[in-house]
Amino acid sequence: MTPDLSRRALIATGLTVPAAAAAVSPASASPAQPRADASASGGPFDAGSPRFTLAVLPDTQYLFDADAADPAPLAATLSWLREHREEENIAFLAHLGDVTEHGTEAETALAARVFDTELPPGRRNLPHAVVAGNHDVSGEDTRGATPFLHHFGPGRARRVPTHRGSSPDGYSSYHVVHAGGREWLVLALDWRLSQAGLAWAGRVLDENPSLPTVLVSHELVSADGGDGTAQLSEYGRNLWEELVRGHDQVFLTLNGHFWPVGRTVLTNDAGNPVHAHLANYQDRFYGGAATLRLYRFDLERGVVDVETFSPWLRSVPEEERTPLQREEVERTSDADRFSFELVPDRRFAGFAPPVVPGPRPAPAVVGPHTAAYWRFDALPGAAEGAVVAAGTVVEDLSGNGNDLTARLIGAGTAGALTWSAEHHDGQPAHASLRFDGRRDPDGGAVLETGPDAPLNSETFLSGFTIEVFLKLPDPFTGDHAWMSVLSWEGRNGDAGKTQGYSPDEPTCSLNVSPERFLQFVLYPELDDLNPTSWTHAVDPGRWVHVAIVNDGRRSVVHVEGSRIARNPSTLARGIATLGKPFALGATQSEEVFGQGFHGWIGDVRISSRALEPGEFLSAPVTATREG
């Protein structure tokens, strides 16, 4: 018997269940019932944060099944989303279809009233899209009017701020979501698309060619093999062939309909991965208990972390949960809790190439405290792979006369130093030098200041900042242990230091360990000690900006603007430079250079004061920062 909706009253925790439903509902007999969050409103959303969440809600049909309807689980899930929006930085919610069991006016209206109560469409509430499933409608999108179209069609969609349009039939829609500092497209498609529906969806993608797209459809893949591996269904293959595979911007597809859950990675015509995920829990306890899936995007890490749980069951105090509630509160299989890679600059390069900052002229990064600044974009004969000959001079653009001169060392050959257009995205000059240093026998190339350069005798007693951009080759093969990035020449023993590892070590150097840790070694001007800082292991094939900041008392190393952990608290006042040249690309010990650096070195700047991270070369600038 269809419940009389007029008798239902809204309450703080959702909707009441009619008497007939309460009499047969398993919830009424359960010893401990979940309680919804009673707070009135959620927090704000940070569209600029690189970390945000896409919420996914699969089939809820058994919760809206004639007179056995129980809207409490859905109300609890939607309430949880509202109340945790700020904490989770939730950008959007997608319901995967089969909202109801029979698609009747009574069932559909009841589900819509839960949405209206917990997530009323409007500017300040969580944007969402609800697609139709086969239990909500039947046939293709040409079916005409239905209760679903009335309650979840364009009338609702137009009140959602992310909504940009609906198909002429009203059953499909698309949304533009601003999250992670960029725009994303959510394409929410009907249960069954006609050719006209497919054509509309294709036009939406073609008219938004640069927007990374999440495609939501009730059916696309199934996973009936039992191991969580999904494959295209018959209808899903049609959708894949006619719509998805030729549109590179679709990187993630979400669907319900089938169970058990599963996932797979498909390859589109551009050769890029498309993640296809199936989530549906209607076969589980209490019709799935409105289980929620969270896709936590972390664009800084280049990964999406997925978690699946029931807010309704989670709200039951742990000590009060029944055995079934304890089993179903969280899903932890490999198809329910997992991560996948998403590096936007790489995955989206074919349709939305990253905007790389243009080069910045030297005056923009040279200030009154710049002791030396070298860059390689203006070298004569600059071309990818061009040999930088011995005797080539790299001008000190600070104007302080600390020019560098290239020379081969040890068993270095004429090709040991070459020019490259490779560079860190935040680097002022879009150029670098490729050093091909080696061991057995030691050799490579070095750039060093002349015998009378002011930098040779500068002790930096008031503090300093040394910055360098560098990249190790990938793969990083061969024995390049303890190669030097930069150093001041001269033995610390000649400076009267007795506390170091060896009196033959340079007085100041930045080196690479066998494990690819960066090691900064300093013998101070005023103290007989040897404070050594360590970074984490540097990834091959990745440019990094390194900044060593000394405030006149101690040194702190930063990588990519982040302070590292292993910075000693020992006093380190000044640098015992000994009047010896500064060297880039090699270390001199006992007056003899060892192996040279193996990799790329970009801009290098030395400042005579401690800089803040916002003043580093890798930070965006509009004018001189040091002044």
Side-chain angles (χ1 to χ4, degrees):
M1 176 175 163
T2 302
D4 179 7
L5 290 177
S6 65
R7 296 177 57 198
R8 292 190 170 85
L10 301 178
I11 58 174
T13 58
L15 297 174
T16 60
V17 181
V24 296
S25 171
S28 63
S30 185
Q33 286 308 299
R35 294 184 288 271
D37 193 329
S39 183
S41 63
F45 171 69
D46 182 0
S49 171
R51 297 176 179 86
F52 66 93
T53 298
L54 169 65
V56 176
L57 181 57
D59 309 46
T60 52
Q61 64 192 76
Y62 291 166
L63 301 176
F64 298 92
D65 182 1
D67 63 352
D70 186 357
L74 177 60
T77 292
L78 297 182
S79 176
W80 188 95
L81 288 168
R82 188 186 71 245
E83 299 307 323
H84 290 79
R85 189 182 187 197
E86 180 177 13
E87 175 188 345
E88 294 284 349
N89 208 33
I90 302 171
F92 196 84
L93 165 67
H95 193 303
L96 302 182
D98 275 0
V99 180
T100 68
E101 175 66 7
H102 302 101
T104 64
E105 170 62 25
E107 292 173 350
T108 310
L110 178 57
R113 290 176 70 177
V114 179
F115 271 89
D116 286 340
T117 301
E118 302 297 343
L119 293 182
R123 286 191 310 156
R124 296 186 178 183
N125 291 296
L126 176 63
H128 55 275
V130 181
V131 301
N134 58 299
H135 282 258
D136 302 308
V137 295
S138 61
E140 291 185 342
D141 52 18
T142 55
R143 65 185 68 87
T146 62
F148 181 90
L149 186 63
H150 174 71
H151 291 286
F152 290 103
R156 167 179 287 274
R158 281 193 292 267
R159 292 182 289 145
V160 175
T162 55
H163 178 257
R164 294 295 181 271
S166 294
S167 57
D169 54 80
Y171 282 98
S172 297
S173 65
Y174 74 98
H175 296 251
V176 175
V177 179
H178 190 193
R182 70 187 305 155
E183 290 185 330
W184 310 73
L185 182 70
V186 177
L187 185 56
L189 301 180
D190 182 62
W191 151 246
R192 281 289 186 269
L193 293 184
S194 61
Q195 286 304 119
L198 278 168
W200 174 85
R203 286 195 300 272
V204 170
L205 292 174
D206 292 340
E207 291 168 3
N208 296 276
S210 64
L211 298 190
T213 299
V214 178
L215 186 145
V216 180
S217 176
H218 185 57
E219 178 185 346
L220 189 82
V221 296
S222 63
D224 51 10
D227 62 353
T229 301
Q231 53 279 320
L232 290 166
S233 68
E234 182 178 353
Y235 173 71
R237 183 165 299 281
N238 180 63
L239 205 57
W240 169 258
E241 294 292 340
E242 296 199 37
L243 182 67
V244 179
R245 68 177 300 167
H247 288 92
D248 189 29
Q249 70 240 58
V250 181
F251 70 95
L252 174 63
T253 72
L254 304 168
N255 73 274
H257 187 52
F258 300 105
W259 68 78
V261 296
R263 59 189 175 108
T264 190
V265 181
L266 307 171
T267 302
N268 66 18
D269 289 346
N272 285 321
V274 179
H275 298 270
H277 296 169
L278 160 61
N280 182 12
Y281 304 95
Q282 68 183 89
D283 63 317
R284 306 303 302 178
F285 166 69
Y286 218 76
T291 289
L292 179 70
R293 178 170 284 191
L294 299 181
Y295 284 73
R296 295 187 175 99
F297 287 67
D298 189 334
L299 302 186
E300 287 189 339
R301 290 169 52 227
V303 70
V304 180
D305 298 311
V306 180
E307 180 185 10
T308 307
F309 64 96
S310 167
W312 185 63
L313 294 176
R314 185 180 279 185
S315 70
V316 179
E318 189 170 355
E319 67 277 8
E320 298 178 18
R321 291 175 190 162
T322 67
L324 275 177
Q325 289 174 338
R326 286 195 293 270
E327 289 177 17
E328 301 295 325
V329 66
E330 187 171 3
R331 314 299 304 170
T332 58
S333 77
D334 289 342
D336 293 305
R337 190 182 185 93
F338 57 91
S339 299
F340 63 94
E341 180 183 83
L342 183 66
V343 181
D345 287 354
R346 184 162 63 237
R347 173 59 181 87
F348 306 154
F351 60 89
V355 178
V356 178
R360 289 170 273 157
V365 294
V366 170
H369 296 279
T370 305
Y373 174 52
W374 304 283
R375 53 196 282 168
F376 311 113
D377 50 348
L379 293 188
E384 192 66 41
V387 173
V388 178
T392 298
V393 174
V394 179
E395 182 184 359
D396 171 17
L397 298 178
S398 74
N400 291 324
N402 297 301
D403 296 349
L404 299 174
T405 302
R407 71 180 175 97
L408 300 177
I409 59 172
T413 63
L417 187 63
T418 54
W419 189 90
S420 177
E422 291 202 36
H423 62 279
H424 187 287
D425 285 348
Q427 189 177 310
H430 288 189
S432 61
L433 294 183
R434 172 67 155 84
F435 291 76
D436 191 19
R438 66 186 186 193
R439 298 189 67 175
D440 299 325
D442 287 348
V446 65
L447 300 172
E448 57 184 336
T449 54
D452 299 321
L455 193 63
N456 301 356
S457 301
E458 176 59 65
T459 55
F460 299 102
L461 290 178
S462 297
F464 61 84
T465 301
I466 302 171
E467 297 179 80
V468 59
F469 295 92
L470 62 92
K471 185 178 83 166
L472 302 181
D474 186 15
F476 189 67
T477 58
D479 185 1
H480 302 288
W482 302 115
M483 63 184 184
S484 179
V485 179
L486 55 83
S487 69
W488 268 267
E489 300 170 15
R491 300 170 65 253
N492 72 82
D494 293 339
K497 308 303 177 184
T498 63
Q499 301 301 310
Y501 172 76
S502 164
D504 296 328
E505 280 190 310
T507 57
C508 181
S509 61
L510 177 65
N511 313 297
V512 181
S513 80
E515 302 85 7
R516 303 190 316 278
F517 286 75
L518 296 181
Q519 176 205 45
F520 177 66
V521 180
L522 176 63
Y523 289 86
E525 170 72 7
L526 298 182
D527 308 283
D528 184 10
L529 44 84
N530 169 222
T532 299
S533 299
W534 296 89
T535 73
H536 52 280
V538 176
D539 294 331
R542 178 181 178 183
W543 278 98
V544 294
H545 170 265
V546 182
I548 302 133
V549 181
N550 182 284
D551 62 1
R553 296 181 60 82
R554 61 187 294 256
S555 299
V556 175
V557 179
H558 298 76
V559 175
E560 290 294 281
S562 296
R563 180 185 182 278
I564 66 169
R566 302 174 68 186
N567 293 298
S569 58
T570 312
L571 288 178
R573 296 176 291 180
I575 304 174
T577 50
L578 287 174
K580 299 285 187 175
F582 172 86
L584 187 65
T587 297
Q588 188 184 59
S589 180
E590 294 185 303
E591 307 302 325
V592 177
F593 280 107
Q595 73 157 331
F597 181 73
H598 181 61
W600 288 261
I601 295 179
D603 293 17
V604 180
R605 183 174 71 173
I606 302 176
S607 303
S608 59
R609 72 173 178 88
L611 301 182
E612 297 295 330
E615 301 174 295
F616 292 165
L617 284 177
S618 58
V621 297
T622 55
T624 301
R625 289 173 298 202
E626 286 197 336

